[in-house]
Amino acid sequence: MATGTKRIPRAIREQQMLDSAIRVFADLGYHSASMDAIARDAAISKPMLYLYYGSKEELFAACVTRESGRLIDHLTSVATGGEGARRSLEGLVEAFLEYVDEHTDSWNVVYRQAAAEPRFRAEVDKTRSVLVDLTTDLLEQNSRERRDRGLLEVVATALVGAGEAVADRVALRSTPRPEAAAVVVDLAWRGLSGHRATTPTHPSATPPEE
């Protein structure tokens, strides 16, 4: 009878390599991480790792692409609206921070390391653009009155930026996730309400429905 380990399908092997790479990159950083260390974590030979990914740069890019896609898919699945603007915002922000809290290595690699490397920044910017569009659509769909999309894009951009900054604190466990979510939602809601004592009333400044 033949003996030996069952061959792992290529698709599964690729995901295992990416899982190991995420752990090593998060622990050591892009520049300090080596293909040797990643191969050891994945329990494979370095030649096999190079067979799948020709360089550390290619492997890191694959990690960023996969993790960015997972984040977008996760948020898209909850951005359904239908419960009022504030509740929709709360749901989106909570889902975002929940993902960061449960995937801190992924967040470290995609938003803290990749964003700092010019060669990978385009992928991060693309992800951020998708998040802004997703948030803008959610706000537009849940506004009580028709509001200028340009204004909503500004609010969405500010919300995404604030969310990213707060997400760093959640990932570092320096701010509890519920508290962080409440801060971001409150900040966004104040911006949407547009309460400025010196600014004349404008249709686009009408607070959205709760």
Side-chain angles (χ1 to χ4, degrees):
M1 180 180 295
T3 59
T5 58
K6 183 178 179 180
R7 178 173 177 174
I8 299 175
R10 181 182 180 89
I12 295 177
R13 176 70 77 186
E14 287 177 344
Q15 296 308 308
Q16 291 175 341
M17 291 178 181
L18 292 177
D19 290 342
S20 290
I22 287 289
R23 285 193 292 270
V24 175
F25 284 132
D27 185 41
L28 302 178
Y30 174 68
H31 293 288
S32 297
S34 68
M35 295 293 269
D36 286 296
I38 295 169
R40 282 196 302 272
D41 188 277
I44 60 174
S45 66
K46 187 166 70 168
M48 177 178 284
L49 181 59
Y50 273 110
L51 182 64
Y52 282 71
Y53 299 99
S55 66
K56 185 173 75 170
E57 180 175 335
E58 180 182 333
L59 177 57
F60 189 83
C63 289
V64 173
T65 299
R66 189 189 74 170
E67 299 308 300
S68 296
R70 286 180 170 181
L71 173 60
I72 291 171
D73 289 345
H74 178 70
L75 296 183
T76 300
S77 69
V78 302
T80 55
E83 299 181 4
R86 184 168 184 123
R87 185 65 196 100
S88 296
L89 268 177
E90 289 173 346
L92 187 64
V93 172
E94 287 168 0
F96 173 61
L97 294 179
E98 176 185 50
Y99 187 90
V100 173
D101 193 25
E102 296 178 355
H103 302 84
T104 54
D105 284 352
S106 172
W107 177 257
N108 185 342
V109 170
V110 175
Y111 270 91
R112 300 180 72 187
Q113 294 186 36
E117 296 290 332
R119 74 196 87 174
F120 305 117
R121 195 173 297 150
E123 184 67 30
V124 178
D125 289 342
K126 183 171 68 175
T127 300
R128 184 176 290 119
S129 179
V130 171
L131 297 183
V132 169
D133 287 343
L134 184 66
T135 305
T136 302
D137 290 342
L138 185 149
L139 297 176
E140 192 170 45
Q141 292 164 9
N142 287 280
S143 291
R144 182 170 49 198
E145 298 182 13
R146 185 167 183 81
R147 302 161 70 83
D148 179 70
R149 185 172 177 86
L151 171 65
L152 294 178
E153 286 178 350
V154 172
V155 175
T157 300
L159 176 59
V160 170
E164 290 173 355
V166 172
D168 279 338
R169 298 183 63 84
V170 171
L172 293 172
R173 305 291 189 259
S174 60
T175 301
R177 190 174 76 202
E179 178 183 321
V183 169
V184 175
V185 171
D186 185 61
L187 177 65
W189 198 249
R190 289 175 185 274
L192 277 172
S193 298
H195 290 154
R196 296 187 181 91
T198 59
T199 302
T201 301
H202 187 278
S204 66
T206 304
E209 63 182 354
E210 290 285 345

